[in-house]
Amino acid sequence: QVQLVESGGGLVQAGGSLRLSCAASGRTASNYAMGWFRQAPGKEREFVAAIRWNGDSTYYADSVKGRFTISRDNAKNTVYLQTNSLKPEDTAVYYCNAGLYTGGHYYPYNYWGQGTQVTVSS
């Protein structure tokens, strides 16, 4: 079992930045690939970014490429999402996930955090 707790969300003006964190607990948490997803009101949850268990490979949705950066510190069992140049359309609840990264794709397991709200004002 893996438990995930997100933090770092908030209200920011367009063009601003936030650093989201996801603290993972569980004996084998560092063995998993990790991903970030987001869900805006009235919309489906969508993939944002993923990183392999050892951090040597990352994968981004086209909508955030060049603006967001995913990273991890396995010594701290923590995954980060640095969000820059934020836009109002980035407003959503951001969720952390543990899963599988293979063949350039991320496959989420049913391990989710409670989410952290990001609101970008125009």
Side-chain angles (χ1 to χ4, degrees):
Q1 288 288 337
V2 178
Q3 293 79 41
L4 304 170
V5 179
E6 301 96 334
S7 62
L11 173 64
V12 62
Q13 288 188 332
S17 300
L18 285 172
R19 189 193 196 200
L20 308 184
S21 298
C22 172
S25 60
R27 188 164 54 90
T28 60
S30 62
N31 291 344
Y32 289 90
M34 298 295 292
W36 285 94
F37 290 72
R38 66 187 182 186
Q39 187 166 18
K43 294 189 176 182
E44 298 279 325
R45 189 173 297 189
E46 64 174 4
F47 169 81
V48 175
I51 187 167
R52 284 190 66 195
W53 70 273
N54 61 359
D56 70 346
S57 208
T58 56
Y59 182 48
Y60 296 93
D62 288 343
S63 58
V64 305
K65 274 181 187 175
R67 300 188 298 122
F68 290 11
T69 302
I70 189 171
S71 62
R72 69 190 296 164
D73 184 340
N74 283 346
K76 297 181 179 179
N77 275 351
T78 302
V79 179
Y80 304 98
L81 185 69
Q82 177 67 42
T83 66
N84 297 329
S85 302
L86 283 162
K87 306 174 182 180
E89 51 264 43
D90 293 318
T91 295
V93 178
Y94 283 69
Y95 296 92
C96 183
N97 175 266
L100 174 67
Y101 184 111
T102 184
H105 294 281
Y106 182 79
Y107 301 92
Y109 293 153
N110 196 27
Y111 296 132
W112 297 95
Q114 83 291 348
T116 185
Q117 176 71 47
V118 172
T119 303
V120 185
S121 63
S122 58

